[in-house]
Amino acid sequence: MEDKTTIDVAVDWDRSPSDLLWADDNTLLAAYNEYGRNKLAKIDIASGTVTPIVEEHSVGSMQHVPLSNGLLISYSALDSPTDLYKVSIDDGSIKRVTQLNPQFGSSVFLSAPEDVEFEGAEGSSIHGFLLRPPNFDASQTYPLAYVIHGGPQSSFTDAWSTRWNLNIFAAAGFVTVALDFEGSTGYGQNFTDAIRNQWGGKPFESLMKSLDQLLDSHPYIDRNRLTALGASYGGYQINWINAHSTAFKALVNHDGMFSTVSTYYSTDELYFPETEFEGVPFDEQARQNYEKWSPERNVHKWKTPTLVIHSEKDYRLVVSEGLSTFTALRRQGVPARFLYFPDENHWVLKPANSLRWHHEVLGWITQWTRKDTIGGSQSQKFVVQGEHLNQ
């Protein structure tokens, strides 16, 4: 605009764009998260009208195609790795450009995600995905992998990833469920903000209430073979679950939080705890919030076998958080294993390390859920796509 006037656009649209791109002088394109999908919409600048263009699966990066009314986007799903597609801005028609992984869908089975929804804390609506193992038979029973996302201002989306890929757990024989609890994005700002000063409150209640409903409505999930896994905030929630539930046979804590107070003094992101716990831990009132939601205060209740994973270069939640978790478990005689990566950060990114991560995680949850050795300490084999792999 020539006069450089600032105007608000789509002020009543309760979503948070992750990427913006001008289509023309009058139209803004926005990628945004909503109900487990990374969608694409066009926004009319004059009226503020938001019109969805792509509503299924997940849009990644986007680039305008010169001399056309089209976009080149990266596009994926939980059962489809990322490829490039061309999208019409006018009508949303989509055309595939690349097929980088033709083996998927033919020689490799990928489980199609099913949307699920449950009632959470205070009547909230909890949305997520369920994936079934290969050769699924509803007359049989299966163990559960209950995956808890980090953030916590994040969400599980119908998108491909090399980290925490839900199809990996399904391929290993687990019914896999991933839910968006309070704090998650894509359901409006009020839902995202509902986790503030509620870290072990509403999200935990929603996860456990949803688990009960899941088990009641899906009889092929074996109630005696439940596991839960989480990273970052999900790791925090694993520690919280260990003190407040006996539903699970095994837990996996990746880069989780042991103490809210020690985390404050060591993290690289001070804004985060000061916002979540409404102040600093050396303020008397805010200190009560930190201590109320600190897993460390409840370690005497921990009883569930736990695989603890942490990396040396994690500055968001430093490695001492993982070491403290492992120490608290083992000094109380709780079965535990510590997996340490000296060359990774908050994420495990290197291919060889990722392979080790998956072998350890799948081996651990299989070890504690095998029908013939439930609760046993003997190392077990797991199966992925019909191939036997040792942990």
Side-chain angles (χ1 to χ4, degrees), residues 36-54:
R37 274 83 183 172
N38 290 326
K39 301 182 179 182
L40 177 64
K42 56 184 176 182
I43 304 173
D44 181 75
I45 298 301
S47 66
T49 300
V50 179
T51 305
I53 299 175
V54 178

Side-chain angles (χ1 to χ4, degrees), residues 206-231:
S206 289
L207 284 167
M208 299 313 296
K209 289 183 67 175
S210 296
L211 177 64
D212 289 341
Q213 295 164 63
L214 171 72
L215 297 176
D216 288 342
S217 57
H218 296 75
Y220 54 78
I221 299 176
D222 191 336
R223 293 171 179 264
N224 293 316
R225 294 193 290 157
L226 309 181
T227 68
L229 313 86

Side-chain angles (χ1 to χ4, degrees), residues 25-266:
D25 290 342
N26 303 306
T27 309
L28 191 63
L29 301 171
Y32 64 101
N33 177 256
E34 183 174 57
Y35 282 85
R37 274 83 183 172
N38 290 326
K39 301 182 179 182
L40 177 64
K42 56 184 176 182
I43 304 173
D44 181 75
I45 298 301
S47 66
T49 300
V50 179
T51 305
I53 299 175
V54 178
E55 297 189 87
E56 296 300 322
H57 310 307
S58 287
V59 175
S61 58
M62 57 182 178
Q63 182 64 50
H64 197 272
V65 178
L67 303 178
S68 76
N69 205 27
L71 288 176
L72 188 66
I73 63 170
S74 59
Y75 192 55
S76 71
L78 281 166
D79 58 350
S80 180
T82 302
D83 270 297
L84 298 179
Y85 288 75
K86 186 177 180 181
V87 178
S88 169
I89 298 173
D90 292 329
D91 59 15
S93 59
I94 186 168
K95 182 180 180 181
R96 189 172 194 148
V97 176
T98 65
Q99 189 170 10
L100 302 176
N101 296 277
Q103 72 275 24
F104 288 105
S106 55
S107 60
V108 177
F109 171 82
L110 292 174
S111 179
E114 171 191 332
D115 287 82
V116 292
E117 195 158 345
F118 304 105
E119 181 178 320
E122 299 181 355
S124 61
S125 180
I126 305 299
H127 169 266
F129 296 106
L130 180 149
L131 285 75
R132 296 181 175 87
N135 303 313
F136 175 77
D137 181 352
S139 67
Q140 303 297 316
T141 59
Y142 299 85
L144 174 71
Y146 203 44
V147 187
I148 304 170
H149 71 67
Q153 290 80 8
S154 180
S155 70
F156 284 111
T157 56
D158 185 14
W160 188 260
S161 176
T162 57
R163 295 183 299 110
W164 292 93
N165 189 310
L166 300 182
N167 249 297
I168 294 293
F169 303 103
F174 290 77
V175 174
T176 304
V177 174
L179 302 180
D180 284 344
F181 43 82
E182 285 82 354
S184 302
T185 55
Y187 306 91
Q189 195 60 47
N190 287 338
F191 190 78
T192 301
D193 291 342
I195 195 173
R196 287 189 180 178
N197 200 23
Q198 277 288 320
W199 268 42
K202 293 178 183 178
F204 171 75
E205 182 181 344
S206 289
L207 284 167
M208 299 313 296
K209 289 183 67 175
S210 296
L211 177 64
D212 289 341
Q213 295 164 63
L214 171 72
L215 297 176
D216 288 342
S217 57
H218 296 75
Y220 54 78
I221 299 176
D222 191 336
R223 293 171 179 264
N224 293 316
R225 294 193 290 157
L226 309 181
T227 68
L229 313 86
S232 195
Y233 173 79
Y236 164 94
Q237 191 61 238
I238 291 299
N239 282 345
W240 194 262
I241 285 172
N242 207 346
H244 296 87
S245 173
T246 57
F248 300 98
K249 292 298 181 182
L251 302 171
V252 177
N253 172 349
H254 174 104
D255 289 357
M257 183 185 294
F258 176 75
S259 166
T260 56
V261 176
S262 64
T263 292
Y264 177 84
Y265 291 110
S266 58

